[in-house]
Amino acid sequence: MVIGLAFHVPAARRAAVRRALDTASTRRERLQALYVDTADGALARARLALMLRREGVRWVQALERRGDGVAAKYEHEVTLVRAPRHVDASAIDPARHAASEAGRRLERALRGAGPLAEMFRTDVQRLSRRVARDGALIEIAFDEGMLRAASGCARLCELEFELLSGPAAALPALAARWMRRHCLWWDVRSQAERGRRLAQGLERVPPLKAARSSLAADIDSGTAFARMLQEALAHAQPNLAEIADGLAGPEHLHQLRVALRRARSVLRECGRWCGDPAEARALDLAWRAPFAQLGAWRERDVVMELLAPRLAAAGLRLSDESGPHCARQAASAVAPARRRSRSADPASVVCSVEVQQLLMRTLALALGGAARSAAPVEPATRDAALAPAAARLLRRVRRRTLAGLDGFADAARAVQHRVRKRLKRLRYLYEFLLPLYHGRRARRMRRRLATADAALGTLGDLAIATSACEENSARDARFGEVLVRLADERAAAQRQAERRLRALANAKRPWRRPSRSVKT
């Protein structure tokens, strides 16, 4: 397993990075690689990359697969005794990897698939050197070059940090220093992923949604904390990279905020499981400001989605070019305390030094959390058993969530929004911990949480649209007409949300089952 981090280097900082890396111990080499896949993308679906790579005078066939989390990958390399006569897809033999676990995955992926064909090539100049930091040996490599496919070419410029030995938490700590100095941003999209995108001529890829939790019931609570946080980062980072690269749509922003809320739920509620609860709490609080900035832009998308058809029915177009009642004005009325400047767009937010430093701190806690938590801090979890700790956690969060149930439909918007945030935390934590629970009761709880969250989400979106209309109704009576319709919709949504919450309150809790000693 290889643990590494790659970062996009802005054009204005490339010369400075080159100078910083260029010392007496720096190694220079040219790397060329040919990537293959089947016509229907069998290897891409299996999250595999198969390539033939030239490293100086040496030829290597390499197979890579993405590992768990965001920093790990698995590689199996075979050095060719003779240089290939023709550097094309025919020079690659999948059987060379048969003895490895990744090779067995490759065999399954290719079973029944078509022949391998060239997808793209890379040609880069690499500067690399090794440094010792915080008890770890890390290789820093700066790659500059091109990706080339039949459909075109794209520039490649990235700085990568690879852990050779020592504690994994030293990796983001070193990377953070370079990020701060050179304005780098973390890009988890591999060369294989970018090359496939180029070969297929894709300008935009679908947003990444949360994967199913990979927790096992036999791990300790410290390990569970680390894995949940890494899974949340793995959900966030591909969407964040699309936003940073200016290639994202509204759903990428939505999925990024979902992923950050999942990460904050782990930091806030499970921080006592890790070796540094104070850092977990500090990170949750530090994420609040950028999360709110991204939320203001997400609210703009909600305003557009909800109000555009309703205002069109009232005879008013809602677009960025349509008169004084434009989307920009309506969106800015949503949250007056969080008005956006022109520079605070989502790409600026996620590329900022502050956010990138937060990502490295969060990753460092995730990579070091399990190692530091041989004896979890919470007294009740010192036996390192996850099930009783999970039951206590879910019971506590559920109790806080349902405390606002009575009178919910008539409560102020701020109270309803607070219930919604607590419900989201309960839902995300339960989904992380779902592998601990089985059977009909577990599935029913998941459905109840999802439907209640959806109902409160609809209610929240209607509240955002109502705020925008209230701000603009004094300028145009047609906003007032839409307000009347929204009031009826909100009343129905409030009743539906309350019903869903009561159904959740009455649902049997699967976390009662794991241990009879856990009081619920």
Side-chain angles (χ1 to χ4, degrees), residues 33 95 259 462:
L462 289 170

Side-chain angles (χ1 to χ4, degrees), residues 59 69 113-114 118 145 147 149 178 256 271 275 297 299 315 323 372 387 418 470 483 490 509:
W59 286 91
E118 178 179 333
L147 290 163
W178 286 74
L256 173 59
W297 283 88
E299 287 168 356
R372 290 197 302 267
R418 184 163 60 246
E470 288 173 345
L483 266 176
R490 285 193 68 228
R509 286 151 278 172

Side-chain angles (χ1 to χ4, degrees), residues 33-38 87-90 92 115-122 148-150 199:
L34 163 70
Y35 287 75
V36 298
D37 201 344
T38 62
V87 184
D88 55 24
S90 64
I92 293 181
L116 292 170
E118 178 179 333
M119 294 294 290
F120 65 95
R121 298 186 182 220
T122 62
R148 291 189 173 88

Side-chain angles (χ1 to χ4, degrees), residues 128-267:
S128 63
R129 65 182 171 94
R130 296 180 175 184
V131 299
R133 288 289 187 279
D134 303 325
L137 183 63
I138 299 170
E139 182 175 76
I140 309 175
F142 182 41
D143 289 344
E144 290 184 280
M146 299 295 293
L147 290 163
R148 291 189 173 88
S151 58
C153 59
R155 188 171 181 83
L156 181 66
C157 186
E158 65 181 21
L159 187 67
E160 184 174 5
F161 300 80
E162 183 177 313
L163 182 70
L164 302 179
S165 63
L171 194 68
L174 175 62
R177 299 190 189 112
W178 286 74
M179 290 169 63
R180 186 167 51 249
R181 187 185 313 161
H182 299 292
C183 301
L184 313 177
W185 54 265
W186 185 14
D187 192 352
V188 296
R189 300 170 301 177
S190 67
Q191 292 184 16
E193 290 167 332
R194 281 179 280 178
R196 290 188 188 110
R197 182 173 182 159
L198 177 65
Q200 296 168 6
L202 298 176
E203 292 185 3
R204 178 176 292 176
V205 297
L208 182 71
K209 297 185 177 180
R212 184 169 297 180
S213 175
S214 62
L215 290 188
D218 58 350
I219 63 176
D220 61 73
S221 56
T223 303
F225 171 86
R227 289 189 184 175
M228 290 190 292
L229 201 51
Q230 288 191 51
E231 287 181 8
L233 287 172
H235 178 196
Q237 278 308 109
N239 295 301
L240 185 148
E242 294 299 307
I243 294 170
D245 223 1
L247 302 171
E251 187 62 18
H252 291 89
L253 177 58
H254 173 58
Q255 287 300 322
L256 173 59
R257 292 191 74 248
V258 170
L260 292 178
R261 195 183 289 276
R262 294 173 77 226
R264 291 185 65 196
S265 297
V266 175
L267 291 167

